[in-house]
Amino acid sequence: MDLVAISLDGASPETNNSIRKGGNFERQVTSLRKLISEKKGRVLNYPYINFVFTAMRRNIHELPDMVRLANDLGIPEVKVVYLTVFDESLLHESLLNSQDMVIKAFKEAEELANELQVNLKLPPIQGSSESGNL
């Protein structure tokens, strides 16, 4: 196994578990600590571990805390993706036309990631692409 991508959608149990029905933040973090400890104990460079964070209105403010959590656990990367709205019940969570909120969270997370040397992969901000439509 080369890559373990951990889907966490909040840096707190309350946020993550409310988004990920059936999710258990504490269990995931405990399991990650064990995996990272085993990896270090065996002096392995693999698997590469990263967080995948689905950004939405309910959790975008926790993105900097996700960077802190990654650093605390020894996870080198946080990858952010936008919520894909598959039905109308999720429309209120969309970050479409919320550039100010996104820019604020991304900027704070980027500054922290640079300071902590965590690789932060961010999607484009709406309206920032050459086509202006992303």
Side-chain angles (χ1 to χ4, degrees), residues 57-117:
R57 286 186 175 277
R58 187 179 347 174
N59 68 357
I60 189 77
H61 67 281
E62 288 192 13
L63 181 56
D65 290 330
M66 285 296 298
V67 171
R68 280 186 196 87
L69 179 61
N71 181 67
D72 291 346
L73 292 171
I75 294 174
E77 179 181 283
V78 176
K79 179 181 178 184
V80 179
V81 297
Y82 290 120
L83 171 70
T84 301
V85 176
F86 289 105
D87 65 56
E88 290 185 19
S89 69
L90 292 173
L91 277 174
H92 68 284
E93 292 286 4
S94 172
L95 289 167
L96 183 66
N97 298 324
S98 301
Q99 293 94 320
D100 290 344
M101 182 186 305
V102 172
I103 290 167
K104 180 179 186 278
F106 282 12
K107 182 178 181 204
E108 187 179 338
E110 280 180 310
E111 289 172 358
L112 186 59
N114 288 335
E115 177 185 323
L116 299 175
Q117 297 183 354

Side-chain angles (χ1 to χ4, degrees), residues 14-64:
E14 298 77 23
T15 301
N16 182 74
N17 297 350
S18 72
I19 293 169
R20 295 239 164 220
K21 301 301 179 205
N24 186 322
F25 178 88
E26 295 298 340
R27 183 182 68 221
Q28 286 178 282
V29 169
T30 298
S31 296
L32 276 170
R33 287 188 197 283
K34 289 178 185 176
L35 174 62
I36 292 164
S37 176
E38 185 70 23
K39 184 178 161 181
K40 285 180 182 175
R42 293 183 184 203
V43 193
L44 298 173
N45 292 328
Y46 63 89
Y48 183 80
I49 304 168
N50 73 349
F51 280 141
V52 180
F53 178 86
T54 302
M56 59 187 81
R57 286 186 175 277
R58 187 179 347 174
N59 68 357
I60 189 77
H61 67 281
E62 288 192 13
L63 181 56

